[in-house]
């Protein structure tokens, strides 16, 4: 494997009580949307409950092509490549991402909203797009702009649900507004620099701290426009569940990486080219800080909060408790990594898939959402069960910040 780093109106809202409603959403112009964004007839779609997801790559399904990671190119990278068809020995990314592969939104078939087991029988609509910032969500009159040839997500939402009831709207936003990709690139460059390589945390930590308020405002503005779009479509606050979620850590801390010693095997074998100091900072401070900031945005917006910051503990790229697939190790949700390793895209997959929840990770996030939707409205944290597969997730009250 060849690896390198990845690229990647504040308006107050009173806290409201959000009731559970058995509701549904139909598709644009009376039809439904597939996970790839194509339109097809739904018949009695208005009678079927729907759940809608909006936002960025962590909810669109980016990296859902990969069931674990492997450096062995045989057999569809030891069975990890879900776009590979063994009988015909052909690869087609549309098998996983559908039509959304063509514009890079990469809405996978196992994206969170599709893999959630609850509510039972619900239809799912995924409007999220990989790489989206808050401006891809906002209504046009509030600064929203088309992204990757697609209209504002709030605008799409309004058109899709007008005249049809909605069970829940789930939003993932903020990471791209913060510049998380730039942080990761800087840290990876710091690791691979031939001369004078050094950790990035000392310089990146204060910069990220400065950007957190702007990220919070971006999340608040996005939720406000989702609420406005829903209201315009005939869905007043309280008739559906509005949920903002945070991000799982893609990397372990420095004490739990299976490539010790800050050596280049992290780059050439593991796909995790970062110093121990940076790993620990990202896992123990950066991801929790992002989560607590988004929790604050959810409170201001009257939304529920789903804390995913610790959902992948022990399942991250290069974690000591995971393994790569190979000739003697088949992919497994119990043993494989739940995050796509860092790759250039020159050999296998796309660069933009790096450090995103892979197929197993998305199944886990779908399980988290399912558990959340079967419970009463509130703020919760999702964690995994060590040694178990991605469906064995658990909820607990979200920590108070």
């Amino acid at each position: 494997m060849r690896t390198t780093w990845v690229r990647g109106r504040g308006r107050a809202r009173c806290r409201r009580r959000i009731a559970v409603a058995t509701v549904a959403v139909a598709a644009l112009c009376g039809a439904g949307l597939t996970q790839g964004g194509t339109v097809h007839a739904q018949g009695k779609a208005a009678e079927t409950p729907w759940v809608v997801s909006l936002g960025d790559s962590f909810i669109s399904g980016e990296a859902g092509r990969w069931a674990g990671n492997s450096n062995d190119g045989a057999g569809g990278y030891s069975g990890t490549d879900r776009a590979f068809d063994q009988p015909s020995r052909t690869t087609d990314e549309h098998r996983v991402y559908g039509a959304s592969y063509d514009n890079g939104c990469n809405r996978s078939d196992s994206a969170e909203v599709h893999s959630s087991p609850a509510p039972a029988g619900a239809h799912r609509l995924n409007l999220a797009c990989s790489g989206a910032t808050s401006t891809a969500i906002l209504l046009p009159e509030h600064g929203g702009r088309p992204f990757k040839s697609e209209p504002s997500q709030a605008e799409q939402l309004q058109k899709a649900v007008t005249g049809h009831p909605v069970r829940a709207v789930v939003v993932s936003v903020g990471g791209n507004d913060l510049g998380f990709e730039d942080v990761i690139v800087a840290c990876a460059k710091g690791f691979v620099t031939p001369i004078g390589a050094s950790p990035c945390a000392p310089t990146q930590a204060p910069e990220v701290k400065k950007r957190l308020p702007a990220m919070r405002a971006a999340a608040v503005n996005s939720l406000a426009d989702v609420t406005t779009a829903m209201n315009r479509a005939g869905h007043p606050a309280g008739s559906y569940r509005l949920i903002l979620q945070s991000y799982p850590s893609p990397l372990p801390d420095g004490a739990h990486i299976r490539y010790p010693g800050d050596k280049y095997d992290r780059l050439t074998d593991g796909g995790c080219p970062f110093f121990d100091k940076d790993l620990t900072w990202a896992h123990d401070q950066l991801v929790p800080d992002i989560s607590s900031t988004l929790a604050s945005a959810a409170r201001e917006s009257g939304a529920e909060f789903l804390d995913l910051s610790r959902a992948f503990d022990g399942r991250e790229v290069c974690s000591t408790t995971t393994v790569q697939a190979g000739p003697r190790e088949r992919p497994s949700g119990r043993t494989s990594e739940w995050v796509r390793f860092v790759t250039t895209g020159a050999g296998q997959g796309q660069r933009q898939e790096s450090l995103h929840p892979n197929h197993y990770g998305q199944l886990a996030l779908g399980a988290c959402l399912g558990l959340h939707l079967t419970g009463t409205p509130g703020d919760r944290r999702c964690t995994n069960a060590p040694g178990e597969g991605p469906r064995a997730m658990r909820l607990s009250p979200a920590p108070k910040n």
Side-chain angles (χ1 to χ4, degrees), residues 165-235:
V166 179
R167 173 67 180 271
V169 179
V170 192
V171 181
S172 172
V173 66
N176 292 323
D177 293 89
L178 181 71
F180 185 76
E181 173 191 328
D182 295 336
V183 174
I184 295 299
V185 168
C187 293
K189 283 183 176 179
F191 182 85
V192 302
T193 298
I195 300 174
S198 62
C200 72
T203 57
Q204 289 297 315
E207 289 300 315
V208 169
K209 188 175 182 179
K210 293 178 185 177
R211 298 176 202 161
L212 286 173
M215 184 196 75
R216 183 185 184 280
V220 169
N221 293 341
S222 297
L223 293 172
D225 271 16
V226 168
T227 302
T228 298
M230 291 295 289
N231 191 56
R232 290 175 178 175
H235 303 287

Side-chain angles (χ1 to χ4, degrees), residues 19-186:
V20 179
T22 304
V23 291
V25 56
L28 293 167
C29 302
L33 291 179
T34 67
Q35 58 88 16
T38 57
V39 180
H40 63 92
Q42 284 293 339
K44 298 182 178 180
E47 300 175 7
T48 309
W50 281 74
V51 178
V52 187
S53 59
L54 295 88
D56 55 28
S57 54
F58 273 73
I59 202 168
S60 75
E62 182 71 86
R65 171 181 173 180
W66 303 96
N69 297 310
S70 178
N71 287 313
D72 173 37
Y77 294 96
S78 292
T80 62
D81 186 1
R82 300 175 58 243
F84 178 77
D85 179 64
Q86 183 64 46
S88 64
R89 301 191 66 77
T90 61
T91 300
D92 184 0
E93 293 84 355
H94 295 87
R95 292 180 178 128
V96 175
Y97 296 126
S100 71
Y101 177 73
D102 295 330
N103 70 355
C105 281
N106 283 5
R107 302 181 184 106
S108 74
D109 54 358
S110 58
E112 183 179 323
V113 71
H114 293 299
S115 61
S116 171
H123 286 267
R124 326 300 172 102
L125 176 63
N126 185 4
L127 298 176
C129 183
S130 181
T133 64
S134 59
T135 57
I137 299 176
L138 299 177
L139 291 165
E141 64 264 35
H142 297 147
R145 296 191 297 271
F147 182 69
K148 293 186 177 179
S149 76
E150 297 188 358
S152 148
Q153 291 180 27
E155 188 177 35
Q156 293 183 65
L157 174 69
Q158 179 180 332
K159 291 179 180 179
V161 305
T162 296
H164 308 284
V166 179
R167 173 67 180 271
V169 179
V170 192
V171 181
S172 172
V173 66
N176 292 323
D177 293 89
L178 181 71
F180 185 76
E181 173 191 328
D182 295 336
V183 174
I184 295 299
V185 168

Side-chain angles (χ1 to χ4, degrees), residues 353-373:
E353 294 171 313
S354 299
L355 295 188
H356 285 82
N358 63 23
H359 178 63
Y360 297 129
Q362 291 179 26
L363 294 180
L365 297 182
C368 291
L369 178 60
L371 290 171
H372 190 78
L373 290 176

Side-chain angles (χ1 to χ4, degrees), residues 73 76 98 190 193 227 321 340 348:
T193 298
T227 302
T321 51
R340 181 64 174 155
Q348 53 173 302

